[in-house]
Amino acid sequence: MKLKKRLGILTSGGDCPGLNAVIRAVVNHAILTYDWEVLGIPYATKGLLERKAIPLSLHGLDLRGIDPLLNMGGTILGSINKGDTLNQIDEIIASYHDLKLDALIGIGGDGSLAILNKLQAMGNWQFIAIPKTIDNDVALTDRVIGFDTAVNTIVDSLNRLTFTAASHDRIMIVEVMGRSAGHLALHAGIAGGADAILIPEIPYSIQGICKHLTELRDRGRRFAIIVVAEGVKIADDSSLYASCQNPSCGMGQYIADEIRNCSHNELDIRVSVLGHIQRGGIPTALDRLVATAFGKAAVDLIAAGESGKMVAWRNGQVEAVSLDAVLAESPLHVAKNHYLVETARAMGIYIGNKES
Ligand code: F6P
């Protein structure tokens, strides 16, 4: 006979720092406050499809119990960010009931949350979403899990590259992730002291970048740091992002080649593609805090009988917002008049064409 409420939890989409911290928070609160049973579903909808569930308890990994999850990157549940799961939609929906789940918490970015939202609506699941993504492109929330750590990782790389760039009078081009959104490049570029930031939302010109580099040289600056978001468009307005998985054909390399052609000076240019380094690592204090607050709030929403909601950080606190409303506005792009775009310009950073 089943006595306790059974709560499932899964992580979906690309991993990021802070996922384990949210798992810990959910397990702690669900068990300590509500005395529920918590089941981890491995590899998101793949685990559901295969009816796999791992009991999660306070007495986790080692003598310190589940607490080491607070500062551990990645996700102990595993994740998938590809696959056509909606082909087997009936099977996945049925598995929620076969596993005897009373509720499910799903942690994902906008792509994963769209799939899970469809499943919960069709399957009549009790479902609460928690937003995570280093891309920061989930709407209606001021914070998502993973973004702060990724920004800090990029800033650390920019700090290192600045020393070597200055020593050799070089132009360092740094390609960062973000898919079709420029939040990562914009935040990290400003915080890391970039001289130019190219983001998908704002058109740029190679002539504009070269003019800026010339002005920097005229002012006595003999090196420069250029942050390029992977989703930036090339000259004919198409994107290299989806078609290129190889660092030597990505957007950073493209910009480097174009700048070499347009400058009168002999420029010494190097390209760094930060890649999945941005997704790994130990979560920052802010990401741990957000993960813990989101995990707690999600469990409370389940206890209150809510469903189809996402926990969101708004006005300095955690609120519940409609998942349908979130998905209608995601992916969230950088507005051309975003205050950080204005801030970058005020700092003399080249950030594309102002008139666009
Ligand atoms: O959405 C997160 C993200 O890291 C993007 O910034 C990046 O373009 C993509 O995932 C990489 O995906 P994968 O891990 O499949 O290479």
Side-chain angles (χ1 to χ4, degrees):
M1 193 175 57
K2 189 184 129 191
L3 295 172
K4 292 186 176 186
K5 190 176 174 92
R6 278 194 139 189
L7 173 64
I9 178 168
L10 58 79
T11 50
S12 184
D15 76 312
C16 66
L19 292 176
N20 283 324
V22 79
I23 294 169
R24 167 185 176 265
V26 166
V27 171
N28 268 342
H29 196 36
I31 294 177
L32 291 174
T33 310
Y34 295 104
D35 194 25
W36 295 342
E37 197 182 340
V38 186
L39 295 175
I41 314 291
Y43 299 101
T45 46
K46 185 171 179 287
L48 267 182
L49 193 62
E50 295 167 358
R51 270 75 168 168
K52 287 195 177 146
I54 306 159
L56 298 174
S57 77
L58 301 178
H59 319 289
L61 312 169
D62 64 13
L63 290 176
R64 290 173 296 161
I66 200 168
D67 288 331
L69 289 187
L70 182 61
N71 63 11
M72 199 187 278
T75 164
I76 55 159
L77 293 177
S79 191
I80 51 168
N81 67 350
K82 300 244 159 22
D84 208 356
T85 38
L86 290 180
N87 281 342
Q88 291 154 299
I89 199 159
D90 293 336
E91 268 297 287
I92 299 174
I93 286 170
S95 65
Y96 172 95
H97 303 289
D98 292 350
L99 288 169
K100 299 195 172 18
L101 297 179
D102 297 300
L104 180 67
I105 291 177
I107 309 154
D110 68 311
S112 302
L113 294 184
I115 293 171
L116 291 166
N117 194 36
K118 197 173 258 186
L119 290 166
Q120 66 99 13
M122 292 176 71
N124 203 20
W125 299 351
Q126 188 188 0
F127 176 75
I128 295 295
I130 300 181
K132 67 87 214 169
T133 168
I134 67 162
D135 304 338
N136 199 37
D137 57 355
V138 177
L140 302 187
T141 181
D142 297 337
R143 297 194 191 290
V144 293
I145 298 166
F147 179 64
D148 187 63
T149 308
V151 169
N152 277 284
T153 302
I154 299 169
V155 168
D156 178 60
S157 302
L158 297 182
N159 291 341
R160 292 164 192 264
L161 288 166
T162 301
F163 286 123
T164 173
S167 305
H168 290 275
D169 293 350
R170 278 179 171 158
I171 312 292
M172 292 292 183
I173 297 191
V174 188
E175 182 183 309
V176 304
M177 284 184 165
R179 289 189 197 268
S180 62
H183 304 282
L184 258 186
L186 180 61
H187 283 71
I190 294 174
D195 299 292
I197 303 171
L198 306 187
I199 61 175
E201 293 87 346
I202 302 182
Y204 62 93
S205 70
I206 297 296
Q207 289 72 20
I209 302 170
C210 286
K211 183 165 167 278
H212 187 63
L213 293 176
T214 305
E215 283 165 6
L216 285 176
R217 289 218 160 203
D218 290 348
R219 274 193 262 141
R221 265 287 297 284
R222 304 191 56 78
F223 70 94
I225 306 289
I226 303 179
V227 174
V228 179
E230 64 183 354
V232 163
K233 308 271 175 35
I234 56 175
D236 66 0
D237 208 31
S238 63
S239 169
L240 288 175
Y241 166 60
S243 61
C244 171
Q245 297 301 320
N246 174 348
S248 65
C249 72
M251 210 44 220
Q253 191 59 52
Y254 172 85
I255 295 292
D257 294 342
E258 293 294 304
I259 293 176
R260 255 186 213 107
N261 291 337
C262 85
S263 172
H264 301 305
N265 302 312
E266 187 91 337
L267 295 180
D268 194 5
I269 305 176
R270 293 291 186 276
V271 179
S272 297
V273 180
L274 298 188
H276 289 77
I277 286 170
Q278 297 160 94
R279 286 242 297 264
I282 293 172
T284 58
L286 181 57
D287 270 334
R288 296 181 204 190
L289 196 73
V290 173
T292 306
F294 277 175
K296 185 249 180 219
V299 170
D300 287 338
L301 285 170
I302 299 280
E306 296 278 4
S307 189
K309 300 266 171 71
M310 185 187 86
V311 295
W313 197 284
R314 291 162 72 84
N315 307 313
Q317 59 183 21
V318 182
E319 295 176 7
V321 292
S322 144
L323 189 48
D324 284 337
V326 170
L327 294 171
E329 292 185 39
S330 300
L332 180 77
H333 287 107
V334 176
K336 287 194 174 72
N337 61 352
H338 192 284
Y339 69 96
L340 286 181
V341 172
E342 304 295 335
T343 305
R345 289 210 171 100
M347 294 301 108
I349 299 171
Y350 176 83
I351 188 164
N353 305 334
K354 200 166 182 185
E355 63 281 5
S356 63

